[in-house]
C-alpha cells in the first residue's frame, strides 16, 4: 500500500539509499537534508519532493515538518535517519560547540519530529515511526562519549514513545544498525553493510503484517560479532 513518508538525512548514505528504495516501491516520499544540491540530484533521480533544512535549528525542524505534511497531505511514516558526529576525541577534549551540535542533530531534532508526528498520527489512529539509532548505543566506545550519549538518549526516548504511541495504533521501531560503508566514515569499509542493504531492511518494516510490531531490531554485517 502506498504510504506518505518523511525521511531525514536523505542526502547521503542510508538516507539517500532509503529514499531511492521507497520511491521505487511507489511510496510518496519527502526527503530532507542540508545539502540542496544533493537533494536536487535525488529529486531528479526519483521524482520525490525534497526540502532543504538544517535540523540543528529548531525553526527549520518545525517548518520542514509542516511543509512535508502539507505536501503529502498528511503523514503515515516518519523515519528519523539524520545523524552526525563531529569527531572522535577523549572526554577532556570535547568542546561545548561539539556537544550542542550533536545534541541538536542526534537527539533534539528526532525528538521534536516524533512529537509533531504524534499530533498528526493520533487523530488518524495509525502511523509508523522508525528511529535509526546505532549499535553504538549498545556499547561504550572510548573517544565516542558525546555521540554515544545522544544515541542512548534517543534509544530511551524511543522506548517511551513506543509505550505512549502504540495504544493509538502507531507503531514505533528503534533500529540499531551496525557498521555501514557510508561517507559517515573517514575511510571506505567494504566489509561493512552496503547502504542499499540497510535501506531494503528498513523498507521491509513497512510491509510487515498489521498484527506485528517490531519494537527493536539490531542488525550488523557478518564481520561484526557483537
Amino acid at each position: 500500500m502506498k504510504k506518505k513518508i518523511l525521511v531525514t538525512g536523505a542526502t547521503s548514505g542510508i538516507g539517500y539509499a532509503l529514499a531511492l528504495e521507497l520511491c521505487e516501491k511507489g511510496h510518496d516520499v519527502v526527503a530532507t537534508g542540508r545539502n540542496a544540491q544533493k537533494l536536487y540530484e535525488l529529486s531528479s533521480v526519483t521524482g520525490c519532493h525534497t526540502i532543504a533544512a538544517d535540523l540543528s535549528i529548531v525553526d527549520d525542524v518545525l517548518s520542514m515538518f509542516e511543509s512535508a505534511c502539507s505536501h503529502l497531505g498528511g503523514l503515515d511514516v516518519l523515519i528519523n535517519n539524520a545523524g552526525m558526529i563531529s569527531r572522535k576525541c577523549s572526554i577532556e577534549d570535547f568542546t561545548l560547540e561539539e556537544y550542542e551540535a550533536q545534541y541538536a542533530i542526534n537527539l533534539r531534532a528526532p525528538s521534536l519530529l516524533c512529537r509533531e508526528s504524534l499530533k498528526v498520527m493520533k487523530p488518524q489512529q495509525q502511523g509508523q515511526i522508525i528511529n535509526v539509532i546505532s549499535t553504538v548505543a549498545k556499547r561504550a566506545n572510548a573517544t565516542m562519549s558525546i555521540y554515544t550519549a545522544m544515541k542512548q538518549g534517543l534509544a530511551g526516548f524511543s522506548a517511551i514513545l513506543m509505550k505512549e504511541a502504540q495504544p493509538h495504533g502507531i507503531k514505533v521501531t528503534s533500529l540499531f544498525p551496525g557498521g555501514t560503508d557510508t561517507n559517515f566514515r573517514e575511510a571506505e569499509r567494504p566489509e561493512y553493510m552496503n547502504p542499499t542493504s540497510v535501506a531494503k531492511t528498513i523498507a521491509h518494516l513497512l510491509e510487515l503484517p498489521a498484527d506485528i510490531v517490531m519494537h527493536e531490531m539490531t542488525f550488523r554485517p557478518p564481520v561484526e560479532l557483537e
Side-chain angles (χ1 to χ4, degrees):
M1 181 182 5
K2 183 177 181 179
K3 296 186 178 183
K4 303 168 183 177
I5 305 174
L6 171 60
V7 180
T8 69
T11 55
S12 63
I14 294 172
Y16 190 89
L18 186 55
L20 292 175
E21 179 71 16
L22 295 173
C23 288
E24 186 176 323
K25 288 181 173 293
H27 295 296
D28 195 357
V29 176
V30 169
T32 185
R34 284 186 287 187
N35 190 320
Q37 179 59 36
K38 289 290 186 180
L39 289 174
Y40 174 79
E41 295 172 7
L42 176 62
S43 180
S44 298
V45 172
T46 65
C48 74
H49 185 70
T50 61
I51 302 173
D54 185 345
L55 297 188
S56 69
I57 301 172
V58 171
D59 286 347
D60 267 25
V61 175
L62 299 178
S63 62
M64 177 277 292
F65 182 84
E66 184 178 355
S67 296
C69 290
S70 177
H71 174 81
L72 293 169
L75 185 67
D76 297 316
V77 182
L78 166 68
I79 303 179
N80 275 314
N81 168 73
M84 67 85 71
I85 180 171
S86 52
R87 66 186 174 118
K88 296 180 180 181
C89 69
S90 59
I91 289 175
E92 67 266 28
D93 289 334
F94 79 79
T95 67
L96 179 59
E97 290 75 18
E98 288 174 318
Y99 187 99
E100 291 182 339
Q102 292 193 64
Y103 160 67
I105 297 292
N106 297 324
L107 182 53
R108 186 178 67 193
S111 298
L112 289 172
L113 290 171
C114 287
R115 183 191 72 182
E116 297 305 300
S117 294
L118 286 181
K119 296 176 184 178
V120 175
M121 294 176 179
K122 273 189 175 183
Q124 63 194 25
Q125 289 292 291
Q126 70 87 26
Q128 191 163 2
I129 298 174
I130 298 173
N131 290 321
V132 182
I133 305 174
S134 169
T135 51
V136 74
K138 296 180 176 289
R139 297 176 177 176
N141 294 330
T143 74
M144 297 185 71
S145 59
I146 306 309
Y147 182 71
T148 300
M150 300 310 163
K151 288 297 187 178
Q152 289 183 344
L154 181 57
F157 179 92
S158 191
I160 294 171
L161 175 69
M162 178 273 290
K163 291 193 173 183
E164 293 189 7
Q166 193 164 303
H168 301 277
I170 303 165
K171 298 182 177 183
V172 176
T173 302
S174 300
L175 292 185
F176 298 89
T180 308
D181 187 21
T182 71
N183 58 5
F184 197 76
R185 302 178 181 279
E186 295 179 357
E188 293 185 0
R189 298 296 297 268
E191 74 275 21
Y192 280 176
M193 296 183 292
N194 187 286
T196 299
S197 300
V198 177
K200 289 181 180 296
T201 302
I202 296 173
H204 183 64
L205 293 172
L206 306 182
E207 301 171 358
L208 293 177
D211 59 343
I212 291 178
V213 182
M214 182 74 74
H215 289 156
E216 290 189 6
M217 184 165 69
T218 301
F219 53 105
R220 299 182 171 95
V223 296
E224 289 185 348
L225 301 180
E226 65 172 6

